Amino acid sequence: MDKKEILKRVDHTLLKAYATWEDIVTLCEEAIANETASVCVPPAYIKRIHDTYGEKITICTVVGFPLGYSVTEAKIAETRKAIEDGADEIDMVVNISDVKNGLYQKVEEEIRALKEVCKDKILKVIIETCYLTNDEKIAMCKAVTDAGADYIKTSTGFGTGGAAIEDIRLFKKHIGPNVKIKAAGGISTREDLEAFVKEGCDRIGTSRAVGLLQ
């Protein structure tokens, strides 16, 4: 598979707690040079990236990350601030406790509330598959679809497991036609990248893709 075909789907990611501005600059320069879909960065760096690179780069950030149990009002505030600072895409984490408690309607309402803030900005919904049963994953496919989000995403990369091909296949059976798929977490080889693209992932979240495809 052509590396450009893969890279245009990659959210080039750096979400470590100790990421420095020098690290972020390296990430952004790599993203621009390799024409990745976006950089996925901590919220605290959005404005500086936007002020430095302007329209050269698409900025993705995270909300309610990585545990998801912030209250909805806090996630709304995070989302508004991120967009105000220059974010183009939001990757939110669902309230996993609500999912485990079967409060699927509540989860859907939270996703819908964030999509209303995002408007035409892209909203990706991280459901953290490693903690969920198949029935819960299917319920999240429905919630993401009914709430009008743009993507369902497998993982934060901070949980006990990452993306799995089986989950991508499950998603494809149960999401609506307007929902795309993002795989993230543990994608560490070129073979992994190619496999997830072939399975139909429109985005892949990884810090490794640029290096793997050199």
Side-chain angles (χ1 to χ4, degrees):
M1 185 179 291
D2 180 70
K3 78 172 189 176
K4 285 189 175 181
E5 192 65 23
I6 299 172
L7 287 166
K8 73 181 185 181
R9 292 176 169 83
V10 168
D11 289 339
H12 195 29
T13 302
L14 178 56
L15 294 170
K16 292 177 179 176
Y18 49 86
T20 65
W21 176 242
E22 184 176 302
D23 297 330
I24 294 292
V25 167
T26 299
L27 184 86
C28 291
E29 298 290 348
E30 288 176 346
I32 292 167
N34 290 276
E35 299 180 347
T36 64
S38 77
V39 288
C40 188
V41 295
Y45 281 117
I46 297 168
K47 190 173 189 306
R48 195 168 178 185
I49 294 169
H50 187 264
D51 289 348
T52 303
Y53 295 100
E55 302 305 314
K56 292 181 182 178
I57 204 162
T58 297
I59 302 171
C60 170
T61 196
V62 288
V63 163
F65 191 87
L67 300 174
Y69 51 32
S70 311
V71 296
T72 298
E73 291 82 359
K75 292 180 184 178
I76 288 171
E78 282 189 83
T79 302
R80 283 187 177 139
K81 178 60 175 169
I83 291 170
E84 178 185 309
D85 283 351
D88 304 289
E89 304 185 358
I90 302 293
D91 287 20
M92 67 166 286
V93 187
V94 297
N95 188 319
I96 300 158
S97 296
D98 283 346
V99 180
K100 300 305 292 184
N101 287 323
L103 301 175
Y104 305 141
Q105 185 63 37
K106 183 180 176 187
V107 176
E108 180 184 328
E109 288 168 1
E110 178 173 271
I111 298 167
R112 184 177 290 108
L114 266 66
K115 183 57 186 173
E116 287 174 2
V117 176
C118 287
K119 297 184 173 64
D120 60 341
K121 307 290 186 184
I122 288 174
L123 178 64
K124 310 187 200 95
V125 181
I126 306 169
I127 68 167
E128 201 70 292
T129 49
C130 61
Y131 299 132
L132 307 184
T133 66
N134 276 358
D135 284 346
E136 289 164 345
K137 293 170 193 174
I138 291 167
M140 287 302 93
C141 287
K142 183 177 186 303
V144 170
T145 299
D146 291 350
D150 302 283
Y151 281 79
I152 187 168
K153 177 179 170 183
T154 59
S155 319
T156 61
F158 286 69
T160 56
I165 292 293
E166 294 77 13
D167 288 328
I168 305 307
R169 292 172 180 164
L170 183 72
F171 289 174
K172 287 194 291 186
K173 290 180 182 177
H174 296 283
I175 54 174
N178 296 321
V179 180
K180 297 176 182 179
I181 299 171
K182 177 176 175 179
I187 299 170
S188 57
T189 67
R190 181 174 184 140
E191 290 72 26
D192 288 341
L193 291 166
E194 292 185 356
F196 282 104
V197 171
K198 287 176 181 175
E199 281 296 331
C201 293
D202 285 272
R203 292 289 183 90
I204 297 173
T206 176
S207 60
R208 301 183 178 104
V210 169
L212 290 172
L213 295 170
Q214 293 299 329

PDB file of all heavy atoms in Angstrom, residues 33-51:
ATOM      1  N   ALA A  33       5.248  17.952   6.525  1.00  0.00           N
ATOM      2  CA  ALA A  33       6.104  17.352   5.504  1.00  0.00           C
ATOM      3  C   ALA A  33       5.490  16.093   4.915  1.00  0.00           C
ATOM      4  O   ALA A  33       5.673  15.798   3.728  1.00  0.00           O
ATOM      5  CB  ALA A  33       7.476  17.044   6.094  1.00  0.00           C
ATOM      6  N   ASN A  34       4.751  15.358   5.749  1.00  0.00           N
ATOM      7  CA  ASN A  34       4.195  14.071   5.306  1.00  0.00           C
ATOM      8  C   ASN A  34       2.714  14.127   4.964  1.00  0.00           C
ATOM      9  O   ASN A  34       2.121  13.113   4.624  1.00  0.00           O
ATOM     10  CB  ASN A  34       4.442  13.012   6.380  1.00  0.00           C
ATOM     11  CG  ASN A  34       5.902  12.639   6.508  1.00  0.00           C
ATOM     12  OD1 ASN A  34       6.388  11.796   5.761  1.00  0.00           O
ATOM     13  ND2 ASN A  34       6.609  13.265   7.447  1.00  0.00           N
ATOM     14  N   GLU A  35       2.133  15.325   5.085  1.00  0.00           N
ATOM     15  CA  GLU A  35       0.728  15.541   4.723  1.00  0.00           C
ATOM     16  C   GLU A  35      -0.212  14.586   5.448  1.00  0.00           C
ATOM     17  O   GLU A  35      -1.077  13.949   4.843  1.00  0.00           O
ATOM     18  CB  GLU A  35       0.548  15.443   3.199  1.00  0.00           C
ATOM     19  CG  GLU A  35       1.358  16.487   2.441  1.00  0.00           C
ATOM     20  CD  GLU A  35       1.180  16.407   0.930  1.00  0.00           C
ATOM     21  OE1 GLU A  35       0.622  15.409   0.434  1.00  0.00           O
ATOM     22  OE2 GLU A  35       1.617  17.342   0.245  1.00  0.00           O
ATOM     23  N   THR A  36      -0.015  14.491   6.768  1.00  0.00           N
ATOM     24  CA  THR A  36      -0.938  13.683   7.568  1.00  0.00           C
ATOM     25  C   THR A  36      -2.281  14.405   7.692  1.00  0.00           C
ATOM     26  O   THR A  36      -2.381  15.601   7.434  1.00  0.00           O
ATOM     27  CB  THR A  36      -0.376  13.407   8.975  1.00  0.00           C
ATOM     28  OG1 THR A  36      -0.236  14.627   9.693  1.00  0.00           O
ATOM     29  CG2 THR A  36       0.962  12.689   8.890  1.00  0.00           C
ATOM     30  N   ALA A  37      -3.296  13.663   8.102  1.00  0.00           N
ATOM     31  CA  ALA A  37      -4.632  14.251   8.231  1.00  0.00           C
ATOM     32  C   ALA A  37      -4.653  15.379   9.250  1.00  0.00           C
ATOM     33  O   ALA A  37      -5.314  16.398   9.051  1.00  0.00           O
ATOM     34  CB  ALA A  37      -5.644  13.175   8.610  1.00  0.00           C
ATOM     35  N   SER A  38      -3.940  15.185  10.352  1.00  0.00           N
ATOM     36  CA  SER A  38      -3.924  16.193  11.419  1.00  0.00           C
ATOM     37  C   SER A  38      -2.763  15.921  12.356  1.00  0.00           C
ATOM     38  O   SER A  38      -2.065  14.906  12.229  1.00  0.00           O
ATOM     39  CB  SER A  38      -5.235  16.152  12.218  1.00  0.00           C
ATOM     40  OG  SER A  38      -5.227  15.049  13.120  1.00  0.00           O
ATOM     41  N   VAL A  39      -2.579  16.825  13.316  1.00  0.00           N
ATOM     42  CA  VAL A  39      -1.833  16.511  14.533  1.00  0.00           C
ATOM     43  C   VAL A  39      -2.851  16.415  15.658  1.00  0.00           C
ATOM     44  O   VAL A  39      -3.789  17.206  15.719  1.00  0.00           O
ATOM     45  CB  VAL A  39      -0.763  17.572  14.887  1.00  0.00           C
ATOM     46  CG1 VAL A  39       0.397  17.499  13.928  1.00  0.00           C
ATOM     47  CG2 VAL A  39      -1.339  18.975  14.961  1.00  0.00           C
ATOM     48  N   CYS A  40      -2.657  15.434  16.538  1.00  0.00           N
ATOM     49  CA  CYS A  40      -3.539  15.286  17.699  1.00  0.00           C
ATOM     50  C   CYS A  40      -2.714  15.606  18.936  1.00  0.00           C
ATOM     51  O   CYS A  40      -1.741  14.897  19.250  1.00  0.00           O
ATOM     52  CB  CYS A  40      -4.116  13.876  17.768  1.00  0.00           C
ATOM     53  SG  CYS A  40      -5.387  13.685  19.045  1.00  0.00           S
ATOM     54  N   VAL A  41      -3.091  16.686  19.625  1.00  0.00           N
ATOM     55  CA  VAL A  41      -2.217  17.289  20.640  1.00  0.00           C
ATOM     56  C   VAL A  41      -2.989  17.643  21.912  1.00  0.00           C
ATOM     57  O   VAL A  41      -4.213  17.755  21.892  1.00  0.00           O
ATOM     58  CB  VAL A  41      -1.563  18.567  20.070  1.00  0.00           C
ATOM     59  CG1 VAL A  41      -0.638  18.227  18.901  1.00  0.00           C
ATOM     60  CG2 VAL A  41      -2.622  19.590  19.651  1.00  0.00           C
ATOM     61  N   PRO A  42      -2.260  17.870  23.010  1.00  0.00           N
ATOM     62  CA  PRO A  42      -2.917  18.321  24.237  1.00  0.00           C
ATOM     63  C   PRO A  42      -3.581  19.688  24.046  1.00  0.00           C
ATOM     64  O   PRO A  42      -3.060  20.541  23.311  1.00  0.00           O
ATOM     65  CB  PRO A  42      -1.761  18.428  25.239  1.00  0.00           C
ATOM     66  CG  PRO A  42      -0.695  17.524  24.698  1.00  0.00           C
ATOM     67  CD  PRO A  42      -0.815  17.628  23.212  1.00  0.00           C
ATOM     68  N   PRO A  43      -4.714  19.921  24.693  1.00  0.00           N
ATOM     69  CA  PRO A  43      -5.418  21.194  24.542  1.00  0.00           C
ATOM     70  C   PRO A  43      -4.552  22.417  24.842  1.00  0.00           C
ATOM     71  O   PRO A  43      -4.732  23.474  24.224  1.00  0.00           O
ATOM     72  CB  PRO A  43      -6.580  21.088  25.535  1.00  0.00           C
ATOM     73  CG  PRO A  43      -6.819  19.623  25.697  1.00  0.00           C
ATOM     74  CD  PRO A  43      -5.471  18.982  25.565  1.00  0.00           C
ATOM     75  N   ALA A  44      -3.626  22.295  25.776  1.00  0.00           N
ATOM     76  CA  ALA A  44      -2.806  23.441  26.176  1.00  0.00           C
ATOM     77  C   ALA A  44      -1.924  23.971  25.049  1.00  0.00           C
ATOM     78  O   ALA A  44      -1.461  25.111  25.113  1.00  0.00           O
ATOM     79  CB  ALA A  44      -1.928  23.061  27.368  1.00  0.00           C
ATOM     80  N   TYR A  45      -1.714  23.161  24.013  1.00  0.00           N
ATOM     81  CA  TYR A  45      -0.847  23.581  22.911  1.00  0.00           C
ATOM     82  C   TYR A  45      -1.608  24.095  21.680  1.00  0.00           C
ATOM     83  O   TYR A  45      -0.992  24.545  20.720  1.00  0.00           O
ATOM     84  CB  TYR A  45       0.061  22.429  22.481  1.00  0.00           C
ATOM     85  CG  TYR A  45       1.255  22.223  23.382  1.00  0.00           C
ATOM     86  CD1 TYR A  45       1.421  21.036  24.091  1.00  0.00           C
ATOM     87  CD2 TYR A  45       2.231  23.209  23.517  1.00  0.00           C
ATOM     88  CE1 TYR A  45       2.526  20.836  24.910  1.00  0.00           C
ATOM     89  CE2 TYR A  45       3.339  23.024  24.338  1.00  0.00           C
ATOM     90  CZ  TYR A  45       3.483  21.829  25.028  1.00  0.00           C
ATOM     91  OH  TYR A  45       4.579  21.643  25.836  1.00  0.00           O
ATOM     92  N   ILE A  46      -2.925  24.025  21.698  1.00  0.00           N
ATOM     93  CA  ILE A  46      -3.685  24.367  20.489  1.00  0.00           C
ATOM     94  C   ILE A  46      -3.383  25.775  19.997  1.00  0.00           C
ATOM     95  O   ILE A  46      -3.051  25.976  18.822  1.00  0.00           O
ATOM     96  CB  ILE A  46      -5.204  24.240  20.739  1.00  0.00           C
ATOM     97  CG1 ILE A  46      -5.592  22.805  21.074  1.00  0.00           C
ATOM     98  CG2 ILE A  46      -5.979  24.704  19.492  1.00  0.00           C
ATOM     99  CD1 ILE A  46      -7.007  22.673  21.603  1.00  0.00           C
ATOM    100  N   LYS A  47      -3.518  26.751  20.868  1.00  0.00           N
ATOM    101  CA  LYS A  47      -3.373  28.151  20.432  1.00  0.00           C
ATOM    102  C   LYS A  47      -1.976  28.424  19.899  1.00  0.00           C
ATOM    103  O   LYS A  47      -1.811  29.092  18.862  1.00  0.00           O
ATOM    104  CB  LYS A  47      -3.711  29.114  21.569  1.00  0.00           C
ATOM    105  CG  LYS A  47      -3.819  30.565  21.095  1.00  0.00           C
ATOM    106  CD  LYS A  47      -4.316  31.479  22.185  1.00  0.00           C
ATOM    107  CE  LYS A  47      -4.634  32.866  21.642  1.00  0.00           C
ATOM    108  NZ  LYS A  47      -3.494  33.462  20.902  1.00  0.00           N
ATOM    109  N   ARG A  48      -0.971  27.903  20.570  1.00  0.00           N
ATOM    110  CA  ARG A  48       0.405  28.145  20.119  1.00  0.00           C
ATOM    111  C   ARG A  48       0.652  27.502  18.757  1.00  0.00           C
ATOM    112  O   ARG A  48       1.318  28.085  17.899  1.00  0.00           O
ATOM    113  CB  ARG A  48       1.397  27.615  21.158  1.00  0.00           C
ATOM    114  CG  ARG A  48       2.813  28.133  20.943  1.00  0.00           C
ATOM    115  CD  ARG A  48       3.700  27.825  22.131  1.00  0.00           C
ATOM    116  NE  ARG A  48       5.067  28.286  21.888  1.00  0.00           N
ATOM    117  CZ  ARG A  48       6.082  28.066  22.727  1.00  0.00           C
ATOM    118  NH1 ARG A  48       5.868  27.412  23.861  1.00  0.00           N
ATOM    119  NH2 ARG A  48       7.292  28.504  22.436  1.00  0.00           N
ATOM    120  N   ILE A  49       0.123  26.314  18.554  1.00  0.00           N
ATOM    121  CA  ILE A  49       0.251  25.664  17.249  1.00  0.00           C
ATOM    122  C   ILE A  49      -0.468  26.476  16.182  1.00  0.00           C
ATOM    123  O   ILE A  49       0.070  26.728  15.098  1.00  0.00           O
ATOM    124  CB  ILE A  49      -0.316  24.225  17.299  1.00  0.00           C
ATOM    125  CG1 ILE A  49       0.536  23.350  18.206  1.00  0.00           C
ATOM    126  CG2 ILE A  49      -0.387  23.624  15.882  1.00  0.00           C
ATOM    127  CD1 ILE A  49      -0.098  22.008  18.523  1.00  0.00           C
ATOM    128  N   HIS A  50      -1.684  26.904  16.489  1.00  0.00           N
ATOM    129  CA  HIS A  50      -2.461  27.681  15.528  1.00  0.00           C
ATOM    130  C   HIS A  50      -1.759  28.995  15.203  1.00  0.00           C
ATOM    131  O   HIS A  50      -1.689  29.404  14.031  1.00  0.00           O
ATOM    132  CB  HIS A  50      -3.859  27.947  16.077  1.00  0.00           C
ATOM    133  CG  HIS A  50      -4.774  28.599  15.111  1.00  0.00           C
ATOM    134  ND1 HIS A  50      -4.977  29.963  15.085  1.00  0.00           N
ATOM    135  CD2 HIS A  50      -5.526  28.096  14.097  1.00  0.00           C
ATOM    136  CE1 HIS A  50      -5.816  30.263  14.109  1.00  0.00           C
ATOM    137  NE2 HIS A  50      -6.162  29.145  13.497  1.00  0.00           N
ATOM    138  N   ASP A  51      -1.220  29.663  16.213  1.00  0.00           N
ATOM    139  CA  ASP A  51      -0.522  30.927  15.986  1.00  0.00           C
ATOM    140  C   ASP A  51       0.762  30.730  15.182  1.00  0.00           C
ATOM    141  O   ASP A  51       1.168  31.613  14.428  1.00  0.00           O
ATOM    142  CB  ASP A  51      -0.189  31.590  17.328  1.00  0.00           C
ATOM    143  CG  ASP A  51      -1.417  32.131  18.040  1.00  0.00           C
ATOM    144  OD1 ASP A  51      -2.494  32.195  17.409  1.00  0.00           O
ATOM    145  OD2 ASP A  51      -1.302  32.466  19.239  1.00  0.00           O
TER     146      ASP A  51
END
